[in-house]
């Protein structure tokens, strides 16, 4: 069927049109004759026939037109070639093609109307609208001419097709009338456009009758708003630099994609801003609020494809080791890839400083192609830091969570909540409790910041939390997270990290080329062994950067090529080497080597006991915490039970227990077995070899219970020269996290009872 593409001319069914011959000349339609059927296809944009050729591909033409057209019949063609056409019904345009000669043809299918208006109602509504137009034209001098024209209308479609060029509606709105299937809705759109035309004309002529019907007032208000908006848009285009704050925020609110609640609140604040004026005392506060909420990204992100292979490459390139950590992250990404949405547990990375907890969050963001934002929670005491301040307070600000969302500019960033173990609470509330809603997938889809006072969807955010220890994290908050331990690095791993990551980055930071400075492997090993004492690599990074700074000075002074070796390392490094505890060479009764875990990693710990003249007092020194003091009491009870003869005269002397270093606070249950062994050695007079170390909590029944931080403790044992280590039997599974080079250096003996340890060290038989 021949198709006639037209633009900005609305055609509806059951209407007769007259077209001049020139109207179709550009389409070269010469084969039409009376009785032929054609279809009108409506172009989305106005065509430029002189500069733009007609596309010939079907898909290109379909992109240019609306999918609904109007079938029509050629009624007659006069001698001059002018056309009389009668429209019939609406059709769906299934395909459309154009020949090289410019003739356009279309394949169509009938598009039925939804007849939800009775014939009587149609006539009644048309007659009412026709009557209103007749009354309207009486107000003007040309009303008599217009009256005869209006009386010729036979239906409401003839009305709209005749008056459409005068209506203040866009081309898209005109086509929307045609595309509407429901007759009732189509009538409503026509009436709205028709009455808006009437009311806009009345606005210019000072309408005499102010007692308009309620719906007429609505139409008039809509007409005024549209007219003002059109004029204001034109002014804004002419002078964009003079656009007011109100107009800017109005546009931002419309484009933001806010949810309904947020949109209402923003509109409410915008209206207050209009009334306040720039000189109002609340103008600045209202401005800041609107600036914040319109800067946030409210739009729900599309589910992006997750490439697990790429993610694995990124994690391996950015971090050395951490095999189990990477496996757990990849598992979470795999679940997200299957569900096509944010899923899985909130990850809590726990480990010593410098082990890569925070930086791995950046790698996750890089692997997912998302924005990265880090929020430090250390030292936060006020709940408002998380939830924000209410706007009634002077200086109110949003909470750190929403501030981070604004900073990221995305609705699905990777957000690292750093140092959740260092949250505190005081009269300002409990910030840890405020985090419960943030980290709970069942609640955070409607997180409400007090400053915003409207819900915001955090369910698409990939949350990662970090902590050095979990003891200080409240149980309800801890239950919402999955704990992933970050073990300390062995010296071999630190060497690899230094060569692959730290040294290249230090070169880049200092502007040093590889050809200018070489740091030998033995020098790196010496820095690790003698100048750092940590589980992570933060201190090693500082030492490497210090070497590069010293080298930079020499290079600037004229030296061409430098090499750092163990022999000349002191010339390049700041400060002295770090003192490391080494096992004593001589065994002494009452002194046993223990293993401890600190925030900086593992250390050896000597338990020293001595009997002195006195009255049976127990003296404890070394800044021991309450838990460790309880371990002393348990150990003493166990020793009294096992060695009644040796301890029967305990009331005649004082028992002094000391744990160096005295200036360092110590606490925790894992020294229980060491305390028990030291006291047993003291009372029996039997020595325990200094190269034997142990760790484990003891019960009053004599059992050895599991402890934490085993990888770091075993690394400390190797550094100190320990050869044999006793560990709780329940910690055997943790040996999987211990580096192979560490396990090769030690004889590790799992035990489940105090009696096993005492027998193994030679105190009992």
């Amino acid at each position: 069927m021949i198709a006639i593409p037209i633009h900005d001319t609305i055609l509806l069914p059951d209407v007769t049109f007259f077209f001049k011959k020139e109207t179709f000349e550009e389409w070269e339609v010469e084969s039409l004759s009376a009785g032929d059927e054609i279809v009108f296809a409506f172009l989305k944009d106005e065509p430029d026939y002189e500069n733009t050729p007609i596309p010939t591909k079907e898909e290109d033409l379909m992109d240019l037109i609306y999918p609904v057209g109007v079938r029509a019949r050629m009624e007659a063609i006069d001698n001059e070639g002018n056309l009389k056409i009668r429209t019939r019904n609406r059709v769906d345009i299934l395909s459309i093609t154009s020949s090289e000669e410019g003739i356009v043809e279309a394949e169509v299918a009938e598009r039925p109307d939804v007849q939800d208006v009775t014939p009587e109602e149609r006539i009644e509504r048309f007659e009412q609208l026709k009557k209103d137009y007749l009354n309207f034209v009486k107000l003007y001098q040309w009303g008599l001419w217009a009256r005869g024209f209006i009386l010729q209308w036979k239906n409401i479609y003839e009305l709209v097709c005749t008056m459409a060029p005068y209506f203040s509606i866009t081309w898209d709105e005109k086509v929307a009338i045609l595309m509407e299937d429901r007759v009732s809705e189509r009538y409503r759109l026509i009436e709205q456009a028709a009455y808006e035309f009437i009311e806009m004309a009345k606005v210019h002529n000072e309408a005499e009758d102010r007692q308009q019907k309620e719906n007429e007032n609505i139409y008039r208000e809509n007409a005024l708003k549209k007219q003002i908006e059109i004029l204001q848009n034109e002014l804004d285009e002419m002078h964009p630099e003079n656009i007011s704050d109100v107009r800017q925020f109005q546009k931002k609110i419309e484009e933001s994609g806010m949810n309904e609640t947020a949109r209402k609140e923003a509109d409410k604040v915008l209206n207050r801003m209009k009334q306040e004026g720039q000189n109002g005392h609340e103008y600045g506060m209202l401005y800041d609020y609107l600036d914040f909420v319109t800067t946030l990204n409210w739009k729900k992100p599309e589910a992006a494809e997750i490439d697990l292979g790429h993610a694995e490459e990124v994690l391996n390139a950015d971090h050395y080791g951490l095999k189990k950590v990477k496996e757990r992250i990849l598992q979470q990404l795999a679940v997200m890839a299957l569900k096509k949405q944010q899923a899985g547990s909130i990850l809590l990375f726990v480990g010593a400083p410098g082990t890569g907890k925070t930086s791995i969050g950046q790698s996750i963001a890089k692997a997912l192609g998302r924005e990265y934002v880090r929020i430090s929670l250390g030292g936060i005491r006020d709940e408002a830091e998380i939830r924000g301040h209410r706007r009634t307070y002077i200086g109110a600000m949003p909470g750190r969570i929403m501030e981070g969302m604004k900073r990221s500019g995305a609705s699905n960033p990777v957000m690292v909540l750093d140092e959740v173990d260092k949250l505190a609470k005081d009269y300002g509330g409990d910030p840890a409790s405020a985090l419960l809603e943030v980290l709970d997938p069942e609640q955070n889809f409607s997180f409400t910041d007090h400053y915003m006072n409207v819900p915001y969807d955090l369910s698409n955010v990939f949350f990662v939390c970090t902590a050095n220890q979990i003891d200080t994290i409240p149980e309800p908050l801890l239950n919402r997270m999955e704990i992933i331990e970050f073990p300390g690095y062995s010296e071999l791993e630190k060497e690899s990290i230094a060569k692959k990551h730290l040294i290249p980055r230090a070169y880049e930071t200092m502007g040093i080329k590889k050809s200018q400075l070489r740091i030998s492997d033995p020098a790196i090993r010496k820095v690790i062994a003698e100048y750092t004492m940590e589980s992570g690599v933060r201190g090693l990074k500082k030492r490497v950067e210090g070497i590069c700074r010293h080298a930079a000075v020499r290079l600037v002074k004229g030296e061409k090529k430098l090499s750092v070796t163990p022999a000349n390392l002191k010339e390049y490094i700041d400060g002295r080497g770090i003192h490391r505890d080494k096992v004593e060479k001589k065994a002494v009764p009452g002194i046993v080597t223990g293993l401890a875990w600190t925030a900086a990693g593992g250390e050896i710990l000597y338990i020293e006991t001595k009997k002195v003249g006195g009255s049976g007092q127990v003296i404890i020194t070394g800044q021991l915490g309450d838990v460790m003091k309880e371990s002393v009491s348990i150990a003493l009870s166990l020793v009294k039970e096992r060695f009644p003869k040796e301890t029967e005269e305990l009331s005649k002397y004082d028992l002094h227990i000391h744990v160096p270093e005295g200036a360092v606070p110590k606490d925790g249950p894992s020294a229980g077995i060491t305390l028990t062994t030291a006291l047993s050695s003291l009372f029996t007079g039997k020595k325990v070899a200094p190269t034997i170390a142990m760790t484990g909590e003891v019960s009053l029944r004599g059992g050895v219970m599991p402890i934490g931080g085993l990888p770091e403790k075993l690394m400390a044992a190797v550094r100190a020269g320990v050869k044999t280590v006793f560990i709780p039997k329940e910690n055997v599974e943790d040996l999987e996290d211990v580096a192979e080079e560490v396990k090769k250096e030690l004889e590790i003996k799992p035990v489940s009872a105090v009696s096993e340890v005492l027998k193994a060290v030679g105190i009992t038989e």
Side-chain angles (χ1 to χ4, degrees):
M1 183 181 297
I2 297 294
I4 307 296
I6 60 174
H7 178 75
D8 206 19
T9 301
I10 184 68
L11 304 180
L12 292 172
D14 300 326
V15 180
T16 300
F17 293 90
F18 295 90
F19 292 97
K20 292 183 179 180
K21 178 181 179 182
E22 294 78 12
T23 305
F24 299 128
E25 282 184 351
E26 61 270 18
W27 292 95
E28 301 182 12
V29 179
E30 300 176 352
S31 59
L32 292 174
S33 59
D36 289 347
E37 286 198 345
I38 60 173
V39 61
F40 286 101
F42 298 92
L43 293 167
K44 295 180 180 178
D45 298 307
E46 186 173 0
D48 183 1
Y49 302 117
E50 295 181 1
N51 302 318
T52 305
I54 300 172
T56 57
K57 292 184 179 179
E58 177 182 333
E59 58 269 20
D60 293 337
L61 272 173
M62 290 299 290
D63 289 339
L64 298 178
I65 65 170
Y66 291 96
V68 177
V70 173
R71 192 201 307 264
R73 185 175 182 274
M74 301 287 298
E75 295 288 331
I77 304 177
D78 62 19
N79 296 331
E80 298 180 359
N82 297 322
L83 310 177
K84 179 183 178 183
I85 298 177
R86 177 73 177 179
T87 57
R88 296 178 60 191
N89 59 290
R90 301 179 311 131
V91 295
D92 287 319
I93 298 177
L94 305 178
S95 65
I96 186 166
T97 57
S98 172
S99 67
E100 294 181 356
E101 293 78 18
I103 298 176
V104 181
E105 294 186 344
E107 181 184 351
V108 300
E110 185 173 350
R111 187 182 182 99
D113 292 339
V114 178
Q115 300 293 346
D116 54 354
V117 177
T118 63
E120 293 78 10
E121 186 181 353
R122 288 192 192 185
I123 296 172
E124 181 182 349
R125 292 173 72 170
F126 167 62
E127 291 297 334
Q128 181 62 47
L129 189 56
K130 187 175 179 179
K131 179 181 176 182
D132 291 339
Y133 262 77
L134 288 171
N135 292 332
F136 162 67
V137 298
K138 291 178 183 178
L139 302 174
Y140 303 95
Q141 295 179 355
W142 42 265
L144 186 61
W145 168 83
R147 176 181 173 82
F149 192 72
I150 293 171
L151 289 172
Q152 295 180 17
W153 292 341
K154 296 181 178 61
N155 56 54
I156 199 168
Y157 294 153
E158 289 192 356
L159 181 154
V160 70
C161 291
T162 304
M163 298 300 298
Y166 307 102
F167 288 164
S168 60
I169 58 176
T170 64
W171 174 230
D172 288 338
E173 289 172 321
K174 292 176 183 178
V175 175
I177 296 174
L178 169 67
M179 295 180 67
E180 178 57 51
D181 294 333
R182 293 175 299 158
V183 174
S184 61
E185 179 64 13
R186 197 183 306 157
Y187 268 48
R188 188 192 69 78
L189 294 173
I190 292 172
E191 289 171 345
Q192 179 174 337
Y195 281 117
E196 279 186 7
F197 167 76
I198 292 176
E199 294 307 318
M200 285 184 70
K202 286 182 179 180
V203 166
H204 292 291
N205 199 46
E206 285 293 332
E208 296 177 356
D209 185 8
R210 297 187 178 276
Q211 300 299 321
Q212 297 293 331
K213 295 178 182 179
E214 183 178 351
N215 61 333
E216 289 180 343
N217 288 332
I218 294 173
Y219 294 141
R220 177 174 181 171
E221 181 181 350
N222 290 339
L224 284 169
K225 286 180 178 179
K226 280 197 171 185
Q227 191 174 28
I228 292 171
E229 184 177 356
I230 292 169
L231 293 173
Q232 187 63 60
N233 288 336
E234 290 181 2
L235 285 173
D236 291 345
E237 290 176 2
M238 294 171 63
H239 302 285
E241 70 281 359
N242 294 332
I243 299 177
S244 66
D245 292 339
V246 172
R247 288 286 300 165
Q248 287 180 347
F249 284 130
Q250 187 175 5
K251 187 175 181 181
K252 286 182 178 179
I253 291 171
E254 291 173 356
E255 298 173 352
S256 65
M258 294 180 182
N259 57 57
E260 185 178 352
T261 306
R263 179 67 183 266
K264 288 180 179 178
E265 181 71 13
D267 288 338
K268 178 182 173 183
V269 174
L270 185 63
N271 289 331
R272 284 184 59 192
M273 190 174 174
K274 289 180 186 177
Q275 298 170 3
E276 191 75 15
Q278 290 192 358
N279 296 324
H281 68 282
E282 288 190 358
Y283 186 86
M285 180 269 290
L286 299 172
Y287 181 98
D288 290 342
Y289 176 80
L290 290 174
D291 181 61
F292 182 81
V293 296
T294 55
T295 305
L296 287 171
N297 190 326
W298 293 85
K299 297 174 182 176
K300 187 174 182 179
E302 296 182 3
E305 292 294 330
I306 297 176
D307 187 344
L308 276 188
H310 170 68
E312 189 170 7
E313 288 177 7
V314 170
L315 292 173
N316 289 332
D318 291 350
H319 294 82
Y320 183 84
L322 303 177
K323 181 180 177 182
K324 285 194 172 182
V325 174
K326 293 175 185 176
E327 286 178 355
R328 178 59 187 85
I329 293 171
L330 289 174
Q331 290 170 6
Q332 181 123 337
L333 298 186
V335 172
M336 291 169 57
L338 291 174
K339 295 195 70 175
K340 304 296 183 184
Q341 65 182 42
Q342 183 63 43
S345 308
I346 306 298
L347 304 181
L348 173 61
F349 297 152
V350 181
T355 49
K357 303 184 300 298
T358 303
S359 59
I360 207 166
Q362 290 178 296
S363 300
I364 294 172
K366 191 192 302 183
L368 291 174
R370 297 191 187 183
E371 295 295 325
Y372 167 79
V373 60
R374 172 184 170 273
I375 298 174
S376 178
L377 302 179
I380 289 181
R381 295 177 174 274
D382 191 348
E383 181 184 343
E385 291 281 346
I386 304 297
R387 285 189 177 276
H389 304 84
R390 300 192 184 277
R391 297 201 307 275
T392 52
Y393 294 106
I394 296 175
M397 296 191 318
R400 295 199 184 189
I401 301 298
M402 294 312 303
E403 187 63 46
M405 295 300 296
K406 175 190 173 184
R407 202 163 64 244
S408 72
S411 60
N412 64 339
V414 174
M415 182 175 288
V416 174
L417 303 178
D418 227 354
E419 300 175 329
V420 294
D421 57 326
K422 296 178 178 61
L423 287 170
K425 63 179 179 179
D426 59 9
Y427 63 89
D430 184 3
S433 298
L435 276 180
L436 296 178
E437 183 182 359
V438 175
L439 299 178
D440 191 341
E442 301 297 325
Q443 303 180 50
N444 64 8
F445 65 89
S446 60
F447 173 72
T448 302
D449 184 279
H450 288 160
Y451 179 79
M452 291 173 56
N453 199 32
V454 292
Y456 187 88
D457 187 358
L458 294 176
S459 61
N460 296 306
V461 180
F462 192 117
F463 284 106
V464 173
C465 301
T466 74
N468 295 133
Q469 52 190 6
I470 61 174
D471 300 343
T472 57
I473 302 176
E475 192 66 27
L477 181 59
L478 197 60
N479 286 340
R480 282 166 170 77
M481 300 182 285
E482 180 178 347
I483 299 171
I484 299 179
E485 297 280 353
F486 270 62
Y489 296 111
S490 67
E491 293 191 1
L492 186 60
E493 289 175 326
K494 289 180 181 179
E495 182 182 348
S496 297
I497 292 171
K499 290 191 290 186
K500 292 182 178 180
H501 299 283
L502 303 183
I503 294 177
R505 288 177 190 171
Y507 282 177
E508 183 179 354
T509 303
M510 308 300 172
I512 297 174
K513 298 178 182 178
K514 291 183 180 180
S515 59
Q516 294 175 314
L517 175 64
R518 177 181 174 274
I519 304 177
S520 67
D521 292 352
I524 296 172
R525 288 193 286 271
K526 186 171 182 179
V527 171
I528 294 169
E530 299 182 13
Y531 290 87
T532 63
M533 185 174 65
E534 57 179 349
S535 291
V537 291
R538 193 168 294 165
L540 178 58
K541 176 176 177 285
K542 293 176 182 178
R543 292 295 188 182
V544 169
E545 289 176 349
I547 292 172
C548 291
R549 284 194 297 271
H550 280 274
V553 173
R554 293 192 178 194
L555 292 170
V556 172
K557 286 183 176 181
E559 296 187 47
K560 300 298 182 184
K561 192 172 183 180
L562 301 173
S563 179
V564 181
T565 64
N568 65 0
L569 180 60
K570 286 188 177 181
E571 300 175 14
Y572 291 88
I573 202 161
D574 295 319
R576 299 178 181 176
I578 292 175
H579 170 72
R580 290 184 180 275
D581 288 331
K582 295 290 184 181
V583 295
E584 299 290 340
K585 295 182 180 179
K586 184 178 179 182
V588 178
I591 299 179
V592 176
T593 307
L595 298 174
W597 183 90
T598 68
E603 293 181 2
I604 64 168
L605 195 72
Y606 290 111
I607 303 294
E608 300 177 348
T609 61
K610 182 168 286 191
K611 294 186 291 186
V612 295
S615 57
Q617 294 184 5
V618 177
I619 304 167
I620 302 173
T621 56
Q623 289 206 58
L624 306 190
D626 292 338
V627 176
M628 208 162 180
K629 288 177 181 178
E630 290 175 358
S631 295
V632 171
S633 300
I634 295 171
L636 191 56
S637 297
L638 289 173
V639 172
K640 286 180 180 179
E641 179 188 14
R642 291 183 180 278
F643 305 103
K645 292 183 180 179
E646 289 82 352
T647 57
E648 63 182 358
E649 296 183 356
L650 189 60
S651 59
K652 296 180 181 179
Y653 47 82
D654 291 341
L655 179 61
H656 190 163
I657 300 173
H658 177 65
V659 184
E661 302 168 352
V664 179
K666 309 166 194 70
D667 203 7
S670 62
I673 186 62
T674 316
L675 284 164
T676 304
T677 306
L679 289 172
S680 300
S681 171
L682 176 67
F683 286 116
T684 61
K686 295 181 180 179
K687 303 174 184 178
V688 177
T691 55
I692 296 176
M694 55 195 70
T695 180
E697 182 180 357
V698 293
S699 69
L700 204 55
R701 293 172 295 176
V704 180
M705 296 184 292
I707 44 81
L710 184 64
E712 288 82 1
K713 291 178 179 179
L714 295 183
M715 286 183 219
V718 172
R719 287 196 300 265
V722 171
K723 300 300 180 185
T724 304
V725 177
F726 291 95
I727 66 169
K729 186 170 286 186
E730 293 183 38
N731 281 111
V732 170
E733 291 184 359
D734 296 335
L735 291 175
E736 295 179 9
D737 300 329
V738 180
E740 289 298 326
E741 60 267 24
V742 173
K743 290 188 280 190
K744 288 178 182 178
E745 296 290 329
L746 296 171
E747 182 185 2
I748 301 172
K749 295 185 177 182
V751 293
S752 58
V754 171
S755 57
E756 296 178 44
V757 179
L758 297 181
K759 183 176 181 180
V761 299
I763 293 177
T764 60
E765 296 180 357

